[in-house]
Amino acid sequence: MPRVKKIPQRICVGCRQTRGKKELIRIVRTPDYKVIIDHTGKMSGRGAYLCRRAECLRAALDGKQLVRALHLELSQEVIADLEKEISGE
Ligand SMILES: [Zn+2]
């Protein structure tokens, strides 16, 4: 049997779908209580994953899933960054 490389799977906090880690945006709460987008996927801290879809960001914000996952309110700045990230600007 050929060896299949395991792709790390994560769940989007917006739609609760399991996806490959690389397809998702990682959002991290750093140890000094800042919420940032982790482009490397390697930052330490409490993390949450989100699809690159505006619907998932909306759902995660409206349903407070992001706040619950990170234990911290998201600033307007971070939300704007996420919107930019998703729209690919
Ligand atoms: Zn999603």
Side-chain angles (χ1 to χ4, degrees), residues 5-10 19-26 38-42 49-52 85:
K5 208 178 167 197
K6 245 189 160 181
I7 300 161
Q9 301 278 303
R10 296 291 182 272
R19 290 178 195 279
K21 204 180 159 187
K22 288 220 166 83
E23 293 173 55
L24 299 164
I25 300 170
R26 182 164 189 251
D38 176 12
H39 292 282
T40 66
K42 290 184 181 121
Y49 291 86
L50 198 65
C51 304
R52 293 177 186 276
E85 183 76 26

Side-chain angles (χ1 to χ4, degrees), residues 12 15 51 56:
C12 165
C15 61
C51 304
C56 291

